[in-house]
C-alpha cells in the first residue's frame, strides 16, 4: 500500500544549525509529495510540495527534492531559527487522500 | 476570511457517551476531509465529503462513527458510545475542489475517561 516513513523525533538543534528530516515513501505510481508544518496550538499548514521526480519544493528557507530513485523527499534548511520549532509532517497524495507520516518534532534552542 | 474552524478545541467524554465534533470550512469551500491523529502516529484519513454527499469513507471505522456535511451548517463528525481508544486529535480540512490545496483546522482533542 501507500505509506510514508519519517525519522523519529524529537530533533533538537541550536539556532543556525543545519536541519535534515528524512522522509521516504512507498506508493504505486508517482504521487505528489508534501511537507506540512504544525506550530503549537495551530492546524497543519502546507510548507512545500513537489509533483514529479526531480522537482524541488521550497518555502521559507526549507527545501525538499523529489527523488524517485530513492523514493525520498527529505526536508532541509540551512540555518534554523527558534521560530521553526514545530511538528513537521511528510505526506503523499493518493487519489483524493493525503497519506501522512507520523510527524517529527523539531525543537530549536537559542 | 476566517480559516477552517473546529470546535470544541477540547472535548472530554466518559465511556459510552456521544461525541460531536464540528467543522466549518473556509468560505466558499465545499469539500471537507476528516483526519484522526492517534498518539505517536501520523494523521489518518477518515472521510471525504462534499455538500450533502459522502465521497469516500474508506477510513471510517465501520461502527459508531458517522459524518455529515449538510447543505447549511458545519460538517459534523459523530462518535457514538465512545471508548478510550477513540481518544485522539481530530482534524478537519477543506478545499475548493478535489485535488485543490487543503486548509486544516486546529483540531479537536477528544479525551475519553
Amino acid at each position: 500500500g501507500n505509506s510514508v516513513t519519517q525519522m523519529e523525533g524529537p530533533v533538537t538543534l541550536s539556532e543556525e544549525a543545519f536541519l535534515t528530516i528524512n522522509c521516504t515513501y512507498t506508493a504505486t505510481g508517482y504521487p505528489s509529495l508534501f511537507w506540512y508544518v504544525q506550530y503549537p496550538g495551530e492546524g497543519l499548514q502546507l510548507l512545500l510540495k513537489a509533483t514529479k521526480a526531480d522537482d524541488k519544493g521550497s518555502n521559507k528557507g526549507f527545501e525538499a527534492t523529489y527523488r524517485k530513485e530513492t523514493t525520498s523527499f527529505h526536508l532541509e534548511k540551512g540555518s534554523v531559527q527558534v521560530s521553526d520549532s514545530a511538528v513537521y509532517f511528510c505526506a503523499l497524495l493518493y487519489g483524493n487522500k493525503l497519506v501522512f507520516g507520523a510527524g517529527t518534532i523539531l525543537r530549536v534552542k537559542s | 476570511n476566517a480559516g477552517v474552524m473546529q470546535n470544541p478545541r477540547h472535548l472530554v467524554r466518559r465511556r459510552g457517551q456521544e461525541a460531536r465534533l464540528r467543522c466549518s470550512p473556509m468560505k466558499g469551500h465545499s469539500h471537507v476531509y476528516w483526519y484522526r491523529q492517534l498518539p505517536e502516529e501520523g494523521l489518518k484519513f477518515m472521510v471525504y465529503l462534499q455538500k450533502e454527499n459522502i465521497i469516500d469513507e474508506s477510513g471510517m471505522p465501520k461502527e459508531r462513527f458517522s459524518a455529515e456535511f449538510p447543505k447549511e451548517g458545519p460538517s459534523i463528525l459523530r462518535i457514538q458510545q465512545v471508548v478510550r481508544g477513540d481518544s485522539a486529535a481530530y482534524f478537519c480540512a477543506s478545499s475548493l475542489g478535489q485535488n485543490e490545496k487543503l486548509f486544516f483546522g486546529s483540531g479537536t482533542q477528544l479525551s475519553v475517561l
Side-chain angles (χ1 to χ4, degrees), chain A residues 22-79:
Chain A
N22 290 339
C23 170
T24 56
Y25 66 90
T26 302
T28 50
Y30 302 106
S32 294
L33 301 174
F34 305 80
W35 276 101
Y36 280 81
V37 59
Q38 183 181 24
Y39 298 104
E42 299 183 14
L44 278 72
Q45 301 173 27
L46 178 63
L47 181 60
L48 54 84
K49 70 176 185 180
T51 57
K52 61 184 187 296
D54 299 326
D55 265 4
K56 178 186 282 188
S58 60
N59 185 24
K60 299 181 182 179
F62 290 89
E63 293 183 340
T65 301
Y66 191 143
R67 301 284 187 201
K68 185 178 67 174
E69 62 277 10
T70 53
T71 61
S72 64
F73 192 55
H74 304 323
L75 182 68
E76 296 181 336
K77 186 174 186 182
S79 176

Side-chain angles (χ1 to χ4, degrees), chain A residues 12-20 76-81 84 106-109:
Chain A
T12 303
L13 297 172
S14 297
E15 216 168 11
E16 299 184 3
F18 184 85
L19 168 72
T20 299
E76 296 181 336
K77 186 174 186 182
S79 176
V80 293
Q81 305 300 312
D84 293 326
L106 171 64
R107 298 185 180 130
V108 181
K109 297 182 175 180

